[in-house]
Amino acid sequence: DGTCFQFASPEICQNRSFVLQAIQATRAWWLLKFVSAELLADESFVEECRACAGFGLVFTFYENYSCSAMMRKLFKTTVASVPGGTAYQGVMEMLNGAEHGSTATVWFGDELVFGNSADDGNWIHPSGDCGRDNVPVPIGDCDAKWRSPVESRSARQEPDPGESYKCWCCHWIREVRKHHETGAIICCAVSNIYERGWVEEYSAGSSELSDADATALELPREVFRNGQPRGWGEGTIRISKGLSFHRKAPIHSDTRKPLGVGCRWERHVLDNLGFPVYAFFMP
Ligand SMILES: [Zn+2]
Ligand SMILES: [Zn+2]
C-alpha cells in the first residue's frame, strides 16, 4: 500500500517524475508526505500532484488491512464516516487514540435535529447547506425539505412552525470540511470491523449495498464518480493478511432495511466535496 513509501530511498523521494507517476497511479496525493523538502518547496509541482488525485471517493487501497491505520500513525488523518451499531464506540476510541488520528462526528444527544432525508425519502440532503439549519420552520405550505420529523436519541416529533432546529447533516459537512482545511487527509470506513474478532463480539459488519439489492428494496443506488469497486455489496471481500468478510450490509431487525443508511448518505456527500476521500473497508 501507499504508506510503504515511507521506506523509499532518498533518490526516489526526490525523483519528480516517479512521485508524480505514483500519485497518478494511486490517486493518493498524501504520498507527498514522504517526498523530499526540495520537491515540496516547488508549489507548482505540489499543485500538479494534488490535481492528479482528483476528487471523490478513492478506492485504491480499499481492500488493504493496515493502510488507514498506518496513515493515522504517520500524519494527520480524519475518518469522517464509520457505520453505527455496537462496534461504533470501540472504533471511535481506536481511531481517536491513534497518534495522528481523529474523527469528524457530530452528536446532539437529546436535542431535536433535522436529518438526511425528508418527504418520505423524496428529498435527500445535498452535499452543502440545506437551508434548514437554525432557520425558522416556515408556517403553512412549505418545500419538501421541511416535510420531515425532527429527532433526538430519545424523541421524534413533527417540527413546530416558527421554531428553529439544527440540521446534523449541515453540521457534519462543515466538520468534515474543517478537518480537511486544517490539513487532515480525509478517510471513510465502509465497515466497523476493526479486527476480525469484532464480527462475533460486537456484530460488526459492512454497509455496502449492491445495485441489485438497492433496486429490489427501492433504495438509492450507491453511485461513485470514480466507479464502484468490483463485487460491491455481494459475496465476500478479501482483505490483505488473508482475512475475508461478508460484503452485504446486515438487515436491521426492526426496519428490515440494510444497516448503514446514514453511512451511505455520508459516502454520497464525501464523493462530492471537491477533494479526494480515501475509502477503506476496514476502519
Ligand atoms: Zn473535529
Ligand atoms: Zn442540512
Side-chain angles (χ1 to χ4, degrees):
D1 73 82
T3 60
C4 294
F5 225 88
Q6 65 183 300
F7 306 116
S9 69
E11 291 78 57
I12 285 198
C13 296
Q14 56 195 16
N15 184 326
R16 181 179 294 262
S17 71
F18 184 88
V19 170
L20 187 62
Q21 280 178 41
I23 295 176
Q24 275 163 345
T26 59
R27 311 208 37 220
W29 82 266
W30 45 263
L31 293 180
L32 284 177
K33 305 277 181 193
F34 307 118
V35 310
S36 69
E38 193 187 324
L39 279 190
L40 286 180
D42 180 346
E43 277 174 40
S44 70
F45 177 72
V46 169
E47 217 21 74
E48 196 180 353
C49 289
R50 259 180 195 271
C52 70
F55 63 103
L57 291 176
V58 175
F59 292 96
T60 311
F61 303 116
Y62 185 62
E63 293 164 20
N64 194 277
Y65 177 72
S66 51
C67 184
S68 66
M70 190 53 86
M71 289 168 75
R72 295 192 287 275
K73 197 174 158 207
L74 296 171
F75 46 81
K76 250 172 104 168
T77 301
T78 294
V79 182
S81 174
V82 175
T86 322
Y88 179 81
Q89 211 46 49
V91 173
M92 288 294 129
E93 278 164 30
M94 301 308 286
L95 300 180
N96 287 309
E99 218 164 331
H100 301 286
S102 65
T103 54
T105 50
V106 289
W107 175 242
F108 296 93
D110 291 313
E111 185 176 355
L112 292 163
V113 294
F114 280 114
N116 58 17
S117 79
D119 198 24
D120 290 324
N122 293 316
W123 179 87
I124 302 289
H125 195 291
S127 304
D129 266 30
C130 67
R132 299 176 303 177
D133 185 47
N134 276 321
V135 174
V137 176
I139 296 161
D141 208 23
C142 55
D143 219 71
K145 67 185 179 195
W146 297 103
R147 282 180 231 132
S148 152
V150 281
E151 288 181 84
S152 75
R153 66 171 164 190
S154 51
R156 177 187 164 94
Q157 65 167 72
E158 289 307 312
D160 291 322
E163 192 70 48
S164 301
Y165 302 90
K166 287 177 189 156
C167 167
W168 75 256
C169 302
C170 285
H171 282 257
W172 175 75
I173 293 167
R174 283 177 217 144
E175 178 71 17
V176 175
R177 287 197 174 282
K178 195 176 82 191
H179 282 242
H180 169 70
E181 279 151 23
T182 55
I185 304 298
I186 308 296
C187 295
C188 157
V190 171
S191 86
N192 54 14
I193 308 171
Y194 190 80
E195 277 170 12
R196 178 174 34 190
W198 289 33
V199 174
E200 283 276 302
E201 206 173 331
Y202 303 111
S203 322
S206 167
S207 62
E208 291 183 2
L209 179 68
S210 69
D211 289 351
D213 287 345
T215 307
L217 297 160
E218 295 182 359
L219 293 171
R221 289 198 302 152
E222 291 206 87
V223 179
F224 305 120
R225 65 181 59 248
N226 300 320
Q228 201 184 56
R230 237 179 63 204
W232 187 261
E234 309 275 5
T236 54
I237 185 169
R238 288 180 61 84
I239 301 294
S240 59
K241 274 187 87 178
L243 301 175
S244 63
F245 300 105
H246 291 295
R247 301 190 79 154
K248 214 186 249 292
I251 301 292
H252 191 284
S253 53
D254 304 331
T255 64
R256 312 301 306 158
K257 293 263 165 79
L259 287 169
V261 184
C263 254
R264 287 187 287 276
W265 172 78
E266 288 172 359
R267 286 202 278 278
H268 174 69
V269 171
L270 293 171
D271 204 37
N272 286 290
L273 290 185
F275 49 80
V277 174
Y278 298 91
F280 295 96
F281 184 77
M282 299 188 72

